[in-house]
Amino acid sequence: MKKAVAILGSPRVKGNAATLLEIAAKNAEKAGYEVSFFNLYDLYIQWCKGCMGCKQTGICVIEDDIVPIRESLLECDLLMISSPTYYANVSAPIKTMFDRLVGAIMDDNNRTIPKPRLSHNQKYLLLTTCNTPFPIDRLGGQSTGCRKNMKEFFHVSGMKCIGKIVFAGT
């Protein structure tokens, strides 16, 4: 069975970012995916300490709730991630997750150009909400900044983007 991971980076479990992710997850299930769901606000994920221990092995030396996320990410066929836009960026739990997963997604050990650890066969879908109305959200860089930060993280992973959805004017 195909595996999908749904990651929510919003404190509002019934909010717009959660609703977008729920719709995407239901459609993934209809398409034959087994979906694992992670709400980052329910997990204990410590901040990156900058020790660079993950560069060699791809595994962060801190053992907390990042471990099942990392394992699911490495095995998934599809990743769906939803974050509200917080001043042209992702929410703090998403940023913390990105910092902690850098070693899992790219190998930059003794290289001038990082090598992706994930596969182009793995796909990702970016979802974001923004209370700035359209088209100001894009012209002012609000939702654009959030999407850019999520896309950059997955771009270096080797995964393939299948879509970016913005719900502006929330």
Side-chain angles (χ1 to χ4, degrees), residues 75-95:
E75 297 174 358
C76 77
D77 300 293
L78 171 65
L79 175 86
M80 300 163 286
I81 186 166
S82 186
S83 176
T85 299
Y86 285 178
Y87 199 74
N89 210 330
V90 295
S91 65
I94 295 276
K95 174 65 169 97

Side-chain angles (χ1 to χ4, degrees), residues 107-125:
D107 177 4
D108 69 346
N109 191 33
N110 299 321
R111 289 185 171 79
T112 55
I113 299 174
K115 176 184 173 190
R117 291 189 193 263
L118 303 180
S119 165
H120 282 298
N121 295 327
Q122 294 175 285
K123 298 170 181 68
Y124 66 93
L125 172 65

Side-chain angles (χ1 to χ4, degrees), residues 83-86 88-91 98 126-129 141-151:
S83 176
T85 299
Y86 285 178
N89 210 330
V90 295
S91 65
F98 286 170
L126 305 178
L127 308 163
T128 187
T129 59
Q142 291 298 306
S143 62
T144 308
C146 183
R147 281 190 342 242
K148 178 181 174 269
N149 288 315
M150 288 194 287
K151 184 180 176 191

Side-chain angles (χ1 to χ4, degrees), residues 6 15-30 35 37 80 125 127 165 167:
N16 294 318
T19 301
L20 282 175
L21 187 60
E22 182 181 322
I23 292 167
K26 284 182 182 177
N27 281 297
E29 286 174 342
K30 286 180 188 175
V35 179
F37 186 87
M80 300 163 286
L125 172 65
L127 308 163
I165 299 172
F167 181 13

Side-chain angles (χ1 to χ4, degrees), residues 14 29 32 43 97 102 108 124 133:
K14 299 291 185 197
E29 286 174 342
L43 302 175
M97 179 189 72
V102 165
D108 69 346
Y124 66 93

